[in-house]
Amino acid sequence: MDSFTSFLCLCSIIFQSISLIEAQASLCRTTCGDIPINYPFGIDDGCGSPYYRHMLVCSNLGNLYLRTPSGRYPVHSISYSDPHILVTDPLMWNCRDGDHFRPTRPFSLDTSTPFTLSSQNDYLFFNCSEDYVIVEPKPVFCERFPDRCDSSCDSASYLCRHLPECADALSASSCCSYYPKATESLRLMLRYCASYTSVYWKTIGSTTNSPYSQVPEYGIRVDFDVPVTTRCLQCQDPSKGSGTCGFDTQTHNFLCLCKEGNVTSYCKGHDISKHKRAEVIAGTVTGISAAGAIGIGIGIWVLKKVRAKAPVTCGVQSNENRVF
């Protein structure tokens, strides 16, 4: 690799590092479209909890998506008081489909994340082959075969008889309700059923004691945990500067993100440029800035010495630019 190529590669590394540090020090976006983004989530790297890193994606058009192993799903809403996300799957059956079933895919979550499928979801399967799926009225079937009750798909389901928003959408297709306990169970069901959809029970009003306090709506409810720590609570405390909880993108260690920079405790009452626990970050910025200045000075000298048409390879070795 010649001197000119070395200089360009050095500059690339320097500016990438500067961008990383500046991104951590900047304030995090708190909305995507009209959906609030609060802890533990973040749509900017280094914001929120590292357990949910890269889980949410905000598009340039302001649309929020949840990333899972099975794809990206539009987020309808996020509740922080009753921690859950509501997502939709455009490939699932909907009222407009009627008796026409499109190819679909099984929804899945990464089991290593703090996300879980809510027990408030119900799954409806359509046109299942009775050679492979037990399609029976569940009350009667469970009374006769209690040991096989959980493996049956309920053809007497209330939701099948009262499809939300379109009770008469199905005219020539069968429907049954089944709750798969694992992603593999869902895959097997879809192997022998034409399609499926998810319905969650939405709580309305301020009480859940009334039998009419919940209504069914299409969508998938995904529950999440909020990893609360003393450091995060101190960081967010208005009396201590109202910082934003975040993390170091390299080490995943906790950081309190402040307007003036990052600290490991809280914003107010700390001189961020001199705070001992912030010296690593401040020192990194200073070191990178100094390296950048030195690199630019060296670059000016190098540019005077190298050929005008020197090949740029940035580390790709060839017979023309080998170091040895």
Side-chain angles (χ1 to χ4, degrees):
M1 186 185 299
D2 58 28
S3 301
F4 179 71
T5 303
S6 300
F7 165 66
L8 288 179
C9 293
L10 174 63
C11 288
S12 175
I13 294 171
I14 289 171
F15 289 124
Q16 286 176 4
S17 300
I18 292 174
S19 297
L20 174 63
I21 299 298
E22 289 178 346
Q24 287 184 312
S26 66
L27 293 179
C28 306
R29 285 178 287 173
T30 57
T31 61
C32 178
D34 58 355
I35 299 178
I37 306 297
N38 300 330
Y39 186 84
F41 299 120
I43 51 178
D44 299 295
D45 202 13
C47 300
S49 167
Y51 294 110
Y52 294 99
R53 187 181 188 183
H54 302 316
M55 294 294 179
L56 294 180
V57 179
C58 186
S59 73
N60 293 333
L61 297 177
N63 297 318
L64 189 63
Y65 295 90
L66 172 67
R67 297 175 60 184
T68 81
S70 55
R72 297 203 321 177
Y73 299 88
V75 175
H76 181 265
S77 64
I78 301 178
S79 171
Y80 297 93
S81 57
D82 176 20
H84 69 271
I85 298 177
L86 293 178
V87 302
T88 57
D89 184 353
L91 295 181
M92 281 185 176
W93 180 91
N94 59 63
C95 289
R96 294 186 301 274
D97 292 333
D99 291 306
H100 303 284
F101 302 106
R102 297 170 288 118
T104 187
R105 62 189 172 187
F107 179 85
S108 66
L109 291 172
D110 185 346
T111 55
S112 67
T113 67
F115 286 126
T116 56
L117 281 174
S118 173
S119 59
Q120 295 184 35
N121 295 321
D122 276 324
Y123 299 90
L124 305 181
F125 294 85
F126 306 105
N127 280 5
C128 298
S129 171
E130 297 190 24
D131 292 335
Y132 300 96
V133 179
I134 302 173
V135 182
E136 294 284 350
K138 204 157 193 174
V140 176
F141 183 81
C142 291
E143 185 177 346
R144 292 173 56 197
F145 307 101
D147 56 327
R148 300 171 64 187
C149 182
D150 289 343
S151 60
S152 64
C153 194
D154 186 11
S155 60
S157 163
Y158 170 86
L159 290 174
C160 281
R161 291 181 288 111
H162 303 86
L163 289 170
E165 303 172 16
C166 53
D168 300 323
L170 299 178
S171 60
S173 303
S174 63
C175 170
C176 62
S177 175
Y178 174 72
Y179 188 90
K181 295 183 178 180
T183 301
E184 186 58 33
S185 298
L186 180 55
R187 290 196 185 99
L188 286 173
M189 287 293 291
L190 288 179
R191 185 180 300 176
Y192 303 117
C193 300
S195 187
Y196 84 120
T197 193
S198 174
V199 176
Y200 73 95
W201 289 91
K202 178 181 178 180
T203 301
I204 56 175
S206 57
T207 177
T208 58
N209 296 327
S210 169
Y212 305 105
S213 63
Q214 291 185 317
V215 295
E217 290 192 6
Y218 294 104
I220 307 169
R221 172 172 165 148
V222 178
D223 294 336
F224 63 87
D225 297 325
V226 181
V228 179
T229 64
T230 302
R231 287 184 298 177
C232 183
L233 293 175
Q234 288 182 337
C235 173
Q236 294 174 325
D237 190 341
S239 66
K240 296 184 178 181
S242 297
T244 299
C245 298
F247 58 94
D248 186 302
T249 58
Q250 300 297 320
T251 64
H252 287 187
N253 290 335
F254 174 82
L255 287 178
C256 184
L257 311 182
C258 312
K259 292 182 179 180
E260 297 82 6
N262 302 339
V263 293
T264 56
S265 51
Y266 50 87
C267 303
K268 190 174 182 180
H270 291 77
D271 185 345
I272 294 179
S273 64
K274 297 180 180 179
H275 193 271
K276 290 183 179 180
R277 293 184 177 180
E279 283 178 357
V280 175
I281 299 171
T284 304
V285 176
T286 304
I288 291 174
S289 300
I294 294 171
I296 292 172
I298 294 173
I300 294 173
W301 178 82
V302 169
L303 286 173
K304 294 180 180 179
K305 300 293 184 181
V306 299
R307 300 190 310 273
K309 296 183 179 180
V312 179
T313 59
C314 280
V316 179
Q317 299 299 321
S318 66
N319 291 330
E320 289 74 28
N321 73 330
R322 288 187 184 278
V323 177
F324 56 85

